[in-house]
Amino acid sequence: KSLCHRVLLFGLATGFGFAAFAFFGKSFLIKLFTTDEDVIRVLSQNDVWMTLTLAQPLNALVFVYDGLVYAFQDFGYARELMTSGVGFVF
């Protein structure tokens, strides 16, 4: 249990690190991944970029949690999570 909490905290810290990098490296990251002017225009909007930036800590937690579920081979639980997730989306 303690190891799981440490891994989740490390993932959260990593997510905040990526969020900070995305926040301060906005123009560098946009130019690194695209040269399309329409994409650059959309990503340069503050609300779009802030949504992407603020989602990074949550994304990191989701990836760590997913890894822990599969590491413990709790595939039934993973199935239930995916089923409920699909239910909420559709």
Side-chain angles (χ1 to χ4, degrees):
K1 185 176 179 178
S2 174
L3 177 63
C4 292
H5 289 160
R6 276 189 277 161
V7 171
L8 285 167
L9 284 174
F10 183 71
L12 186 63
T14 303
F16 277 114
F18 277 113
F21 180 65
F23 182 76
F24 293 112
K26 177 180 176 180
S27 61
F28 169 75
L29 288 171
I30 291 173
K31 290 177 185 174
L32 179 67
F33 287 102
T34 187
T35 57
D36 187 308
E37 291 299 321
D38 291 332
V39 174
I40 291 172
R41 184 176 34 78
V42 169
L43 288 176
S44 295
Q45 296 172 3
N46 283 334
D47 56 342
V48 173
W49 193 255
M50 286 306 294
T51 301
L52 293 173
T53 300
L54 295 175
Q56 295 312 304
L58 177 62
N59 288 339
L61 281 179
V62 168
F63 277 108
V64 170
Y65 191 67
D66 181 63
L68 289 172
V69 167
Y70 283 102
F72 290 117
Q73 297 183 357
D74 197 355
F75 301 115
Y77 182 65
R79 180 193 66 233
E80 296 301 322
L81 283 176
M82 286 185 217
T83 303
S84 63
V86 168
F88 284 123
V89 172
F90 300 107

